[in-house]
Amino acid sequence: MHNHGLGAWMAKRRLKSPEKIALIYGDDERQTYRQLADRADRVSALLWLRGVRKGDRVAFIGENSPEFLHVLFGAAQLGAVFVPVNTRLAAPEIAHVLTDSGARVLIHDAELTDRVGNGIAAATIAHVIVTGEGTDERPGLSRLIRSSTGGHTDVEVALSDPAAILYTSGTTGKAKGAVLTHENLTWVSLNCLVDYDIVSTDVALMISPLFHAASLGMGALPIMLKGATIVLEKGFEPGRALELIERHGVTMLSGVPTTYQLLADHPNWARTDLSTLQKLTCGGSAVPTRILNAFEERGLSFSQGYGMTETSPGATSLSPTMTRQKQGSVGLAHFFTDVRIADEHGEMVPRGTVGEIEISGPNVFPGYHQLSEATASAFSPDGWFRSGDMGYLDADGYLYISDRLKDMIISGGENIYPAEIENLINDIDGVTGVAVIGVVDPQWGEVPWAIVTVRDGAAATTESVRADLDGKLARFKLPKKVIVVDTLPRTASGKVRKADLRARYGG
């Protein structure tokens, strides 16, 4: 076999554990690794017939489904590059991703047709396929898979070849495509196997969207590499999640603090059998003490961690045994990853000193798609990824996050970059200045607030600003509150002092 990347995984799983259940979806759908491999073969064949070749981009916009994984592994067999797109993005954001990635094929949920329309027109899309059964006039992916003969040309794929492009918002407001190689996704999976003790008998409930780097790189892929089972859910509803844990004997669960809060607050929490649960992982932000207490009362502890799309995404992990002793820390560097702290001159600082977090390892991406300057600035002279986050290492090497240099807001596990919102609010008639900050929220961790100044005679309200932005931004990025002030605090050079605003408004 010439394919040394993800495209070989299912063929090898078909040999090693053909009858093992790989996926449980909905109430009655089950797929073995043999069946999953067969469907990936069929997807690769139908993509090949549509002209997809090594290096071509295949975009997927849809909720969690087996088809997501069929397309991922089918595209990987051809050496094509998988581009998963956040379903919560607004139409202009989707258009940017499709255009910037240069996707040749788009596969999307039928429910998203209206939002992807403009993107298809603006991009280089040669073929569009809807998920599911489709219609008599336009067969859907499920029907096309059944009618495909399977088989494909054995394409030579190296670990260093690109496997996926995941788009992450940036400080300039334009989403950047982080190119993740087969090597990146393989090594982040190995990190998870080592640091989370994943075994082939695990049953992982997947409730977070697979288009997120965490769910893909640290959820689905390590589970499938090990030959364990995924209980795949289209979305998250706490009552159903509790039911599935009990019904399927779930051993692993991943989420953000909001996920676990909603589970613990559900009426069925106390009477649900959680005896099979062994491994809980949480990212996005620190787990509040109240949530820790609720789960520890049921004999459960968390692995917490830190990372970003550019690190595929895991960089550190905090084991459950250290949750209390190192509370507030995001843990040690993953087994095959290294973390260091640098000052503003790029020099290493002593333990306990705050500086910029830099990361190195085979899980660190090679760069941004078609953005050479952004890529160059993202790395230190000796090749370490500059995270843009501030933190320090304690005497034992545990990482603590001090501040986010890029002002990123994490809301319910979603990354929000203020510049993206600020650029659009600045275009609203009457607005003369704006600063978007993250404000602590008991449910979502943080939510964006917009602090604005307006010209004489003009007005801006939460309702009017949200209405103006609706359809231009994903709804989770819309400011939850808009406050009009006389002036924004600024430095001598004219930059807004966001730290002052966060101190005033509870950020």
Side-chain angles (χ1 to χ4, degrees):
M1 183 172 284
H2 295 91
N3 192 319
H4 298 292
L6 304 186
W9 285 19
M10 288 305 101
K12 292 182 177 181
R13 272 283 138 231
R14 179 166 47 201
L15 289 172
K16 291 179 177 290
S17 53
E19 304 310 318
K20 177 72 181 294
I21 296 297
L23 287 175
I24 299 172
Y25 181 67
D27 290 326
D28 52 17
E29 184 174 353
R30 282 168 167 73
Q31 290 181 20
T32 63
Y33 276 101
R34 184 197 303 277
Q35 292 169 324
L36 183 58
D38 175 67
R39 285 162 174 78
D41 285 349
R42 290 168 181 263
V43 168
S44 72
L46 67 88
L47 290 175
W48 181 268
L49 289 174
R50 285 161 177 76
V52 175
R53 299 294 184 266
K54 183 178 180 180
D56 288 339
R57 273 75 69 197
V58 176
F60 188 100
I61 311 178
E63 303 296 344
N64 285 357
S65 70
E67 290 172 313
F68 183 104
L69 295 168
H70 301 158
V71 175
L72 165 67
F73 289 112
Q77 288 184 18
L78 302 177
V81 182
F82 186 61
V83 185
V85 185
N86 190 327
T87 60
R88 300 175 70 182
L89 297 183
E93 297 169 307
I94 290 174
H96 167 69
V97 171
L98 296 179
T99 304
D100 186 76
S101 67
R104 179 178 179 82
V105 174
L106 169 63
I107 300 168
H108 69 87
D109 286 355
E111 295 81 2
L112 300 173
T113 298
D114 290 344
R115 266 194 284 158
V116 303
N118 291 337
I120 294 171
T124 56
I125 306 293
H127 300 279
V128 179
I129 302 170
V130 297
T131 59
E133 293 298 318
T135 64
D136 291 338
E137 297 77 23
R138 194 172 185 178
L141 181 61
S142 294
R143 203 184 316 179
L144 290 172
I145 289 175
R146 288 198 301 273
S147 62
S148 174
T149 56
H152 63 88
T153 302
D154 188 12
V155 177
E156 189 167 327
V157 178
L159 282 170
S160 58
D161 287 332
I165 302 176
L166 274 68
Y167 277 78
T168 176
S169 295
T171 54
T172 62
K174 276 288 187 182
K176 303 190 295 289
V179 178
L180 303 182
T181 65
H182 293 271
E183 180 180 37
N184 295 153
L185 293 171
T186 298
W187 281 100
V188 77
S189 298
L190 291 171
N191 272 338
C192 291
L193 264 59
V194 172
D195 287 333
Y196 299 137
D197 292 330
I198 297 173
V199 294
S200 61
T201 53
D202 274 324
V203 178
L205 176 57
M206 190 65 59
I207 51 178
S208 302
L210 288 172
F211 53 70
H212 278 318
S215 299
L216 181 62
M218 304 183 73
L221 289 180
I223 289 294
M224 310 209 91
L225 176 61
K226 192 61 181 176
T229 300
I230 293 176
V231 179
L232 188 61
E233 277 290 284
K234 194 170 185 177
F236 172 58
E237 195 285 310
R240 178 167 170 80
L242 290 170
E243 174 196 342
L244 292 173
I245 291 169
E246 185 171 298
R247 185 197 310 175
H248 296 299
V250 168
T251 63
M252 292 186 63
L253 180 63
S254 299
V256 296
T258 304
T259 306
Y260 293 109
Q261 175 184 318
L262 292 172
L263 289 173
D265 289 343
H266 194 274
N268 292 339
W269 168 253
R271 55 178 174 265
T272 299
D273 181 0
L274 304 178
S275 59
T276 59
L277 268 183
Q278 301 167 3
K279 303 156 192 174
L280 304 176
T281 60
C282 186
S285 57
V287 180
T289 301
R290 185 175 74 86
I291 308 289
L292 287 176
N293 292 340
F295 277 78
E296 287 177 355
E297 287 172 2
R298 301 295 306 271
L300 298 167
S301 298
F302 292 93
S303 292
Q304 299 176 63
Y306 162 77
M308 58 210 66
T309 302
E310 291 89 342
T311 58
S312 307
T316 72
S317 64
L318 179 68
S319 71
T321 57
M322 301 300 286
T323 297
R324 289 292 186 176
Q325 186 176 339
K326 297 290 186 178
Q327 190 166 355
S329 170
V330 292
L332 298 168
H334 275 300
F335 196 86
F336 297 107
T337 304
D338 292 298
V339 171
R340 71 184 188 185
I341 308 297
D343 64 18
E344 65 270 24
H345 305 295
E347 300 296 327
M348 299 307 100
V349 300
R351 293 285 175 95
T353 304
V354 173
E356 184 175 7
I357 301 164
E358 297 186 346
I359 304 158
S360 179
N363 58 305
V364 175
F365 82 140
Y368 298 106
H369 180 61
Q370 296 183 338
L371 292 173
S372 56
E373 290 186 10
T375 297
S377 65
F379 289 90
S380 68
D382 57 346
W384 287 60
F385 175 64
R386 301 178 59 208
S387 71
D389 292 335
M390 305 297 285
Y392 66 92
L393 297 172
D394 72 5
D396 300 315
Y398 284 78
L399 178 64
Y400 290 76
I401 308 298
S402 301
D403 196 9
R404 287 189 294 275
L405 191 62
K406 297 175 182 174
D407 289 325
M408 184 178 72
I409 301 164
I410 302 178
S411 184
E414 296 278 5
N415 293 347
I416 301 173
Y417 285 87
E420 187 177 13
I421 308 170
E422 291 165 351
N423 289 346
L424 291 174
I425 294 179
N426 270 321
D427 288 337
I428 297 175
D429 186 42
V431 172
T432 58
V434 58
V436 173
I437 61 171
V439 174
V440 174
D441 181 85
Q443 181 172 2
W444 302 111
E446 291 179 300
V447 292
W449 283 21
I451 318 301
V452 304
T453 57
V454 298
R455 68 167 181 256
D456 289 344
T461 65
T462 301
E463 292 73 20
S464 68
V465 170
R466 286 174 61 90
D468 193 279
L469 300 183
D470 198 17
K472 300 174 184 176
L473 287 172
R475 293 192 64 82
F476 67 84
K477 299 177 184 177
L478 301 181
K480 296 297 183 290
K481 189 169 185 177
V482 175
I483 298 174
V484 178
V485 296
D486 293 333
T487 59
L488 291 168
R490 296 183 183 274
T491 64
S493 62
K495 292 183 179 179
V496 175
R497 295 199 303 267
K498 289 192 175 180
D500 293 0
L501 294 175
R502 284 193 285 265
R504 180 176 178 182
Y505 295 108

